[in-house]
Amino acid sequence: MIKITLPDGSVKEFPKNSTPMDVAKSISEGLARNVISASFNGTTVETATPLTTDGNLTLFTWNDAAGKKAFWHSSAHVLAQALEELYPGVKLTIGPAIDNGFYYDVDPGDQSISEKDFPAIEKKMLDIARGKYDYRMRSVTKAEALDYYKKQHNEYKVELIENLEDGTITFCDHSTFSDLCRGGHIPNTGIIKAVKLLNTAGAYWRGNENNKQLTRIYGISFPKQKELTEYLHLLEEAKKRDHRKLGKELELFTFSPKVGQGLPLWLPKGAALRERLENFLKKAQKKAGYEQVVSPHIGQKELYVTSGHYAKYGEDSFQPIHTPHEGEEFLLKPMNCPHHCEIYNARPWSYKELPKRYAEFGTVYRYEQSGELHGLTRVRGFTQDDAHIFCTPDQLDAEFKNVIDLVLYVFGSLGFENFTAQVSLRDPENPGKYIGSNENWEKAEQAIINAAKEKGLNYVIETGEAAFYGPKLDFMVKDALGRSWQLGTIQVDYNLPERFDLSYKGSDNELHRPVMIHRAPFGSIERFVAILLEHTAGNFPLWLMPDQAIILSISEKYEKYAEKVLNLLENYEIRALIDNRNETIGKKIREAEMNKIPYMLIVGENEEKEGTISVRKHGEGDLGAITVDAFAKIVEEEINRTLKQF
């Protein structure tokens, strides 16, 4: 007999070689019908995997993230089988599950696979799924695996296998199909009831631009057709909210091939929007005791060698800038933190002067492959709302909590109410990914967990997601469509202070090492604006809108009255403009609605005579005729509801 510990702490005994499905059946038939994957002692297993030792077992259904991962990974196998049957000679490479669905990278050879082929591929996938073929794992020797793929002339799988250790190689079989695979599948193909292929893209083998470009096919699948229908509706909503589309329509930003890929150009309305976001945060930061600093866009290579960024990212970044002086190299700034360390180092400090809080809207540059660029969410030049706090170890807890308060204030003012916090820790199995001592890591990790607990955050712990120099607290925000985004991050760092030999004089008159906190509530202005655009569908909070109101004159006769209203609004610091074109009032209203201007103020004969404005609210309709003073109060009250004082 073996002892199986379940997530609730209960322990049950089962005969040796019992499977996760046997355990599920012992709990309830309903659970057994819904279980599609499992984890044993932290390792993903199949529901049919024999359990031979005591251990901890977690059962996953479609409602669990791990269950979806197994479902979508299994669906990728079905896609691969369909492609092999429809396109003889196609070479398979890798097919993982992703956040929403799965993809498979293939080399189609002389054939081409495009979106017009999707219906036939989907039909073939569903035909395979209906066969209810079991997924079965089997171990193979390295020689057997190499022989299998050499006979298929699949150099991609051969390359993968050559990097694996003999004794660790497994295949997954279902129907007539076999694939190199580590595991993590649903019981059988019949659970897949609905499939949709979404798009194709080019992808370099192993992400290297020097390798051959493959065809990547993205798809998604569900256990019920209804769920696919709902998802496709969500996709249509997402298309309407695409920040690239809205950014163009609202004239916020653009891109130019002459300027370069991934380098956004902010148009006047977008620049004004950025400025308001920056001023909003600067005002809160000033109250929180931050001081603004400015650092250059480049730095000597040695700066980033000292910080450790060059060793981690140097090869994948922009190439060094060489000066006329022999041997002198500069890099485009990939991070602000090394510069801020040197600002701190500009003079000696006493413990009485700490904490020092340096803030900067600093533009940084990171080389992203062209295939990875996406509107404002993935760019090569972006501005971080960066700040670094240098404090004593005794101050760390209070400072970290104060930063949490600031992040929550930012979210609340911008309508992000649905979020979880993610405590990102290092991977104990892969210490080579990180710099710094175990002692410093343990102190930093515990400080973050304690702060998250004491602030009452809804948090999860993710092992292996830490930055290379320290653990962090990431805020995962759900937008209006239920999509999850990482926004805002706080990181504790004992390592950079050591690397830059930062110090302060303590009460004992000895030199001590400060602790460093990295924080960025927005993350980057570019990405934040993109997510905010999609979350609000361009209907920003009133305090942030480029134009808060538009004055629509019924005819040219009322232009002077429109200008008088505009002047009055300016006295109340309400951002407005006039539309006095020779167009019908109906057309003016429709265009103002399309431009998402919050308030339309209609002026004509009655309004001029009564000294009023007829107010119409975007998406809601007429509010009636009121004075400009009364309208100003409406605007003030709406702003105060969202933009609280920090």
Side-chain angles (χ1 to χ4, degrees):
M1 302 292 284
I2 55 174
K3 291 180 179 177
I4 302 298
T5 304
L6 298 170
D8 64 0
S10 62
V11 180
K12 292 191 172 191
E13 287 197 348
F14 292 89
K16 192 176 180 180
N17 292 319
S18 294
T19 67
M21 185 59 77
D22 293 330
V23 176
K25 286 176 180 174
S26 77
I27 297 170
S28 77
E29 283 298 324
L31 177 61
R33 281 194 300 272
N34 289 307
V35 165
I36 57 175
S37 181
S39 170
F40 188 63
N41 289 335
T43 300
T44 299
V45 295
E46 317 293 301
T47 58
T49 299
L51 306 178
T52 58
T53 64
D54 296 347
N56 297 297
L57 179 69
T58 305
L59 301 169
F60 301 121
T61 70
W62 166 255
N63 295 322
D64 300 303
K68 286 183 172 67
K69 183 177 180 181
F71 192 95
W72 287 330
H73 174 59
S74 304
S75 301
H77 280 294
V78 176
L79 169 60
Q81 182 183 355
L83 292 173
E84 277 198 340
E85 292 183 13
L86 292 171
Y87 301 90
V90 68
K91 294 177 183 178
L92 306 176
T93 65
I94 58 169
I98 53 178
D99 287 345
N100 280 298
F102 55 90
Y103 70 77
Y104 215 112
D105 286 347
V106 300
D107 179 353
D110 296 333
Q111 308 166 95
S112 67
I113 305 173
S114 66
E115 294 185 14
K116 68 178 174 55
D117 303 311
F118 283 180
I121 301 171
E122 290 165 359
K123 182 178 182 302
K124 176 63 74 173
M125 289 179 70
L126 289 173
D127 287 344
I128 294 166
R130 290 187 195 102
K132 297 184 180 179
Y133 300 108
D134 290 341
Y135 289 93
R136 301 212 176 271
M137 297 295 296
R138 61 184 167 94
S139 296
V140 296
T141 66
K142 190 167 185 175
E144 288 170 335
L146 287 170
D147 182 61
Y148 180 81
Y149 283 111
K150 281 177 180 175
K151 284 178 178 174
Q152 289 190 359
H153 306 291
N154 188 329
E155 64 272 25
Y156 306 102
K157 297 285 191 183
V158 168
E159 184 180 326
L160 291 174
I161 293 162
E162 283 173 344
N163 292 320
L164 299 177
E165 294 291 324
D166 206 350
T168 66
I169 301 170
T170 51
F171 275 28
C172 177
D173 303 325
H174 75 267
S175 179
T176 59
F177 179 76
S178 295
D179 202 359
L180 175 70
C181 185
R182 290 178 182 167
H185 305 93
I186 58 180
N188 65 73
T189 62
I191 300 168
I192 302 167
K193 303 291 188 187
V195 169
K196 184 68 178 176
L197 299 183
L198 301 170
N199 62 284
T200 63
Y204 294 106
W205 168 235
R206 309 204 94 165
N208 187 332
E209 292 183 6
N210 296 318
N211 289 337
K212 184 169 182 179
Q213 192 173 61
L214 307 171
T215 298
R216 175 171 294 179
I217 302 174
Y218 287 96
I220 197 161
S221 55
F222 293 90
K224 293 179 182 175
Q225 179 62 42
K226 180 188 172 195
E227 291 181 79
L228 174 58
T229 303
E230 289 170 353
Y231 179 78
L232 294 178
H233 174 70
L234 198 68
L235 277 189
E236 285 305 309
E237 283 299 306
K239 284 179 186 174
K240 294 176 193 173
R241 291 169 178 254
D242 190 313
H243 75 276
R244 295 166 298 178
K245 172 178 174 286
L246 290 173
K248 184 176 182 181
E249 290 172 358
L250 300 178
E251 298 180 353
L252 298 178
F253 59 87
T254 188
F255 289 89
S256 161
K258 286 189 175 68
V259 172
Q261 286 185 304
L263 300 172
L265 298 169
W266 290 88
L267 304 176
K269 286 182 181 179
L273 180 86
R274 276 180 61 126
E275 185 178 26
R276 274 190 289 281
L277 279 171
E278 289 185 16
N279 290 341
F280 154 72
L281 189 54
K282 281 178 181 176
K283 186 177 177 182
Q285 285 178 165
K286 189 173 182 181
K287 288 185 177 179
Y290 289 82
E291 299 170 282
Q292 288 294 130
V293 296
V294 178
S295 61
H297 290 248
I298 63 173
Q300 281 205 99
K301 176 183 169 183
E302 186 58 36
L303 178 71
Y304 308 111
V305 170
T306 301
S307 69
H309 289 105
Y310 188 79
K312 291 288 177 183
Y313 305 118
E315 289 183 6
D316 299 321
S317 194
F318 285 101
Q319 295 302 298
I321 303 164
H322 297 276
T323 72
H325 189 280
E326 188 177 343
E328 193 171 50
E329 283 187 343
F330 286 80
L331 296 177
L332 286 171
K333 178 172 63 172
M335 301 275 188
N336 297 301
C337 35
H339 296 252
H340 290 192
C341 286
E342 288 301 287
I343 290 174
Y344 177 89
N345 244 350
R347 75 169 185 82
W349 297 99
S350 160
Y351 73 98
K352 295 177 181 178
E353 298 173 286
L354 299 186
K356 296 303 295 180
R357 307 178 187 96
Y358 294 138
E360 175 180 14
F361 285 89
T363 302
V364 298
Y365 304 89
R366 299 178 195 170
Y367 181 76
E368 301 283 356
Q369 292 185 22
S370 58
E372 299 292 329
L373 298 173
H374 182 82
L376 293 182
T377 59
R378 198 75 178 264
V379 289
R380 289 174 172 169
F382 54 94
T383 302
Q384 292 181 309
D385 59 319
D386 226 348
H388 298 94
I389 301 168
F390 302 89
C391 63
T392 70
D394 291 343
Q395 294 167 336
L396 175 61
D397 185 61
E399 288 299 310
F400 199 94
K401 289 175 190 167
N402 289 342
V403 176
I404 290 175
D405 289 338
L406 181 62
V407 171
L408 298 184
Y409 168 69
V410 169
F411 288 178
S413 298
L414 289 156
F416 291 110
E417 304 292 347
N418 187 0
F419 62 87
T420 56
Q422 176 178 301
V423 179
S424 299
L425 308 180
R426 68 196 152 146
D427 180 359
E429 304 297 319
N430 198 352
K433 284 171 60 178
Y434 311 99
I435 60 175
S437 69
N438 280 334
E439 181 189 3
N440 283 346
W441 271 92
E442 285 165 10
K443 284 192 290 187
E445 289 176 341
Q446 200 54 53
I448 291 179
I449 292 170
N450 289 345
K453 280 181 182 174
E454 289 176 36
K455 278 294 173 185
L457 296 180
N458 176 22
Y459 74 93
V460 295
I461 291 178
E462 291 290 343
T463 302
E465 294 297 315
F468 76 91
Y469 52 78
K472 55 183 180 166
L473 183 68
D474 293 323
F475 290 85
M476 315 304 289
V477 175
K478 280 200 172 177
D479 68 12
L481 296 182
R483 299 170 301 180
S484 190
W485 303 89
Q486 190 262 309
L487 273 185
T489 184
I490 317 171
Q491 302 169 7
V492 176
D493 186 356
Y494 283 85
N495 294 309
L496 283 189
E498 283 190 7
R499 285 176 165 260
F500 282 92
D501 196 23
L502 307 184
S503 64
Y504 65 90
K505 188 170 281 189
S507 58
D508 58 0
N509 240 18
E510 298 292 326
L511 290 179
H512 298 270
R513 194 77 72 202
V515 184
M516 190 173 175
I517 299 174
H518 307 243
R519 51 110 284 205
F522 293 150
S524 83
I525 292 286
E526 285 72 12
R527 190 166 176 274
F528 192 85
V529 168
I531 294 165
L532 188 60
L533 259 174
E534 298 197 5
H535 176 57
T536 63
N539 299 304
F540 296 119
L542 187 59
W543 66 267
L544 188 58
M545 286 297 294
D547 298 311
Q548 295 169 319
I550 186 167
I551 304 161
L552 309 177
S553 57
I554 286 178
S555 74
E556 294 175 7
K557 288 193 291 184
Y558 308 106
E559 281 182 20
K560 284 192 176 176
Y561 183 62
E563 287 172 8
K564 180 182 176 182
V565 170
L566 181 63
N567 290 333
L568 289 170
L569 293 174
E570 286 173 350
N571 291 337
Y572 287 105
E573 296 186 348
I574 294 172
R575 296 183 293 277
L577 68 159
I578 298 173
D579 183 353
N580 54 18
R581 295 173 300 155
N582 187 23
E583 297 287 355
T584 65
I585 196 69
K587 183 174 182 181
K588 290 180 181 182
I589 289 171
R590 282 195 301 276
E591 290 185 4
E593 288 279 359
M594 286 174 61
N595 290 326
K596 302 180 187 294
I597 298 174
Y599 288 99
M600 287 143 271
L601 313 179
I602 300 163
V603 295
E605 182 180 359
N606 289 340
E607 288 78 18
E608 185 177 42
K609 191 184 297 181
E610 301 292 331
T612 60
I613 49 177
S614 289
V615 180
R616 182 182 179 90
K617 190 169 185 184
H618 170 62
E620 293 185 18
D622 292 328
L623 300 184
I626 56 175
T627 64
V628 173
D629 289 352
F631 173 69
K633 285 188 175 64
I634 291 173
V635 170
E636 182 183 15
E637 287 170 6
E638 184 174 340
I639 289 173
N640 289 339
R641 279 198 302 274
T642 53
L643 189 58
K644 309 290 184 188
Q645 291 299 310
F646 180 66

